Amino acid sequence: MKVKQILSGVELVIADLEVELNGELRSSHTLCALLKDDHQREVLIPLNTPDGRPIFMNPENAIAEGKGTHGTA
């Protein structure tokens, strides 16, 4: 294994995300990467599934900031 690149400007956060599963609205604390997209908008990219399994950081899974609230607990 080798390091190809270190990404700067990425902040790791835990977000309380809400998702609809099987017709039910559920929420869970989710590890996410917080970064700016190509248009300099903040986006969250979940790094695990709602049941806690890790996933690769995929920009297609980005959630645009402003959909919900952003703040600290």
Side-chain angles (χ1 to χ4, degrees), residues 2-19:
K2 72 176 187 174
V3 176
K4 290 179 59 177
Q5 179 183 12
I6 304 267
L7 303 175
S8 61
V10 178
E11 183 180 350
L12 291 179
V13 298
I14 297 175
D16 187 11
L17 297 183
E18 189 173 74
V19 64

Side-chain angles (χ1 to χ4, degrees), residues 24-36:
E24 285 186 46
L25 217 50
R26 299 181 184 200
S27 66
S28 66
H29 294 107
T30 305
L31 180 64
C32 298
L34 178 64
L35 62 144
K36 295 195 185 286

